[in-house]
Amino acid sequence: MAIAAGLSASRRFLRGRIRTGLIRSRNSLFPAIQMTGCAVGAYAFAEYVLGHSGPLFAATSSLIALGFSREPRLRRVVEVGLGCTIGIVVGDLLLHWLGGDIWVAAVVLLVSILLARFLDGGNIFTTQLGLQSLLVVLLPAPAGGPFTRSLDAIVGGLFALLVTILVPKDPRREPRKDVQKLLHELAEVLRECATALSNSDSTQAWHALIRGRNCQPLVDAMRHSLRASGEVATLAPAYRRHRDELDRLKQSLDFIDLALRNSRVFARRLTSAINHAALSDEANDNIAEVLQDTAAAIEELSLGLAETHDGARRAHLRTARQDLSEIALRLHPKLLEVQRLEGETVVMLFRPLMVDLLEATGMDSREARDVLPGL
């Protein structure tokens, strides 16, 4: 029985690995074609146009520069291309001055790493600069002279940069994925708070607070992807028309970040309110309903910000704005049957979060504040 169970588990594991590998290969087909064409093109240009014999570094520098990366890869191409080129230049210079002994290789590697850290703090830049300079020393010198490989590296980097500008990834793809993930987490934080109220469970409210704190890396990742996407949209002719959309996403992210911060403050105060029984059963139910409705409106906002078609995006954002506005009209302690001061504080802390969400839909800040009922 144990052997049969082990074989069955192994088959399931292999099927899962094969399925995952096939999906990964299918999703990588177009980038792989780009990388192949770029490497072969750089090699052919260096060999047939420049007359270099076996221009290996033209192909390797372009291949490494393109690579597979999560974000639009303009910065990576420039960083890695410069790393490869400078590394090869340093290796060529030291090889020309010092010769090709093994101790020279050690000096080249040390100097290259220190130079890379001086020029840039990126790990990829340092690795590529050191690796390429070391290969220059260890591989036989080409027939075209000591700096032929440096020129090959420049050719490879330029080909990679050209491919990135002319045939880039859609710069909106990663920010859209990021904003969906981020808003889903915010919605789940509010749903956990609602469940905590329904169950009078302060521990669950504390868990919601921890979940909200764990969202900060998602915010940072989206800021990074938006910055990289903006670079691509600025330089790539095919995507310049999307710069306004990326700017709107960036503005929405600022408000979402504020909403997340306010959700953490709200969850912390809710934990205390539950511990001190500051809310009646009616108030618990009313606030829990508000939280659940807000979470649903956030999911609608997520659909709008991640939508590819302008018409559908506007429709989702309009629906989210309307739903959030209706919820905001209920955010008054008396309307929610809150009686004690600590319970009123919970409602008051939720109001700024609602303003942030309304602004994330594109509403003006003054209009968003005016939606809230007067106190």
Side-chain angles (χ1 to χ4, degrees):
M1 291 293 293
I3 294 176
L7 290 174
S8 177
S10 298
R11 284 194 295 269
R12 287 197 302 272
F13 173 78
L14 287 175
R15 283 198 298 268
R17 292 289 296 177
I18 292 171
R19 188 182 305 111
T20 302
L22 289 174
I23 294 173
R24 192 161 52 235
S25 297
R26 184 185 62 205
N27 293 338
S28 303
L29 179 60
F30 183 65
I33 293 173
Q34 281 185 312
M35 292 165 63
T36 303
C38 184
V40 172
Y43 186 96
F45 182 87
E47 183 171 46
Y48 298 117
V49 177
L50 301 181
H52 295 175
S53 177
L56 177 64
F57 285 94
T60 57
S61 61
S62 65
L63 196 64
I64 295 170
L66 285 179
F68 288 96
S69 58
R70 177 182 178 274
E71 70 280 350
R73 54 198 178 197
L74 182 64
R75 178 178 175 84
R76 173 190 170 90
V77 167
V78 174
E79 185 178 90
V80 177
L82 285 176
C84 291
T85 304
I86 295 174
I88 293 170
V89 170
V90 169
D92 275 336
L93 284 173
L94 294 179
L95 182 63
H96 181 66
W97 291 336
L98 303 177
D101 295 331
I102 189 66
W103 68 271
V104 176
V107 172
V108 168
L109 185 57
L110 177 62
V111 171
S112 299
I113 292 174
L114 294 178
L115 177 62
R117 301 306 293 175
F118 173 77
L119 294 174
D120 192 282
N123 293 329
I124 296 175
F125 183 84
T126 302
T127 302
Q128 295 307 323
L129 198 152
L131 177 61
Q132 298 299 326
S133 61
L134 183 61
L135 287 176
V136 167
V137 177
L138 297 180
L139 293 176
F147 298 105
T148 302
R149 291 174 294 200
S150 301
L151 185 56
D152 290 341
I154 293 173
V155 169
L158 289 176
F159 264 74
L161 186 60
L162 187 64
V163 168
T164 303
I165 291 175
L166 295 180
V167 195
K169 293 180 179 179
D170 187 340
R172 301 168 297 169
R173 184 172 63 183
E174 295 302 337
R176 283 169 175 166
K177 290 181 181 178
D178 289 340
V179 77
Q180 280 190 304
K181 190 182 303 182
L182 190 57
L183 286 173
H184 174 73
E185 286 301 307
L186 175 57
E188 289 302 310
V189 168
L190 297 185
R191 288 191 178 105
E192 285 193 23
C193 288
T195 304
L197 274 172
S198 299
N199 298 332
S200 295
D201 186 353
S202 62
T203 301
Q204 195 158 13
W206 185 259
H207 288 166
L209 169 61
I210 300 301
R211 185 168 193 158
R213 288 173 176 171
N214 290 338
C215 289
Q216 192 57 46
L218 297 177
V219 175
D220 297 337
M222 185 171 175
R223 290 196 188 280
H224 175 73
S225 64
L226 278 170
R227 186 163 51 248
S229 297
E231 294 173 357
V232 173
T234 299
L235 293 177
Y239 291 112
R240 284 179 187 169
R241 66 184 186 277
H242 298 312
R243 284 180 294 181
D244 290 342
E245 183 180 344
L246 290 172
D247 288 339
R248 288 194 296 270
L249 268 177
K250 185 177 180 181
Q251 292 173 0
S252 294
L253 175 62
D254 291 337
F255 296 123
I256 293 168
D257 188 12
L258 291 173
L260 273 167
R261 295 174 190 272
N262 283 323
S263 74
R264 296 195 287 267
V265 176
F266 173 79
R268 189 185 302 115
R269 175 55 58 188
L270 186 65
T271 303
S272 175
I274 293 174
N275 279 332
H276 295 112
L279 296 167
S280 64
D281 291 341
E282 293 80 7
N284 274 343
D285 293 340
N286 291 333
I287 297 176
E289 184 181 359
V290 164
L291 293 175
Q292 292 285 5
D293 291 345
T294 304
I298 290 173
E299 297 287 3
E300 186 71 21
L301 172 62
S302 172
L303 292 175
L305 293 178
E307 179 57 54
T308 57
H309 301 292
D310 287 341
R313 179 169 60 250
R314 292 194 193 95
H316 284 301
L317 291 177
R318 186 166 54 249
T319 301
R321 191 180 304 118
Q322 181 178 349
D323 292 346
L324 290 169
S325 298
E326 292 175 356
I327 297 168
L329 292 172
R330 296 149 59 188
L331 294 181
H332 191 287
K334 290 184 179 179
L335 296 176
L336 297 173
E337 301 184 58
V338 177
Q339 299 173 352
R340 294 180 57 181
L341 179 61
E342 188 171 1
E344 291 180 355
T345 304
V346 171
V347 179
M348 298 303 295
L349 288 175
F350 195 73
R351 287 163 64 103
L353 189 154
M354 183 60 63
V355 172
D356 296 332
L357 292 175
L358 286 169
E359 290 183 273
T361 67
M363 183 179 286
D364 178 76
S365 59
R366 176 175 294 182
E367 184 182 357
R369 291 193 297 270
D370 289 344
V371 173
L372 295 169
L375 297 173

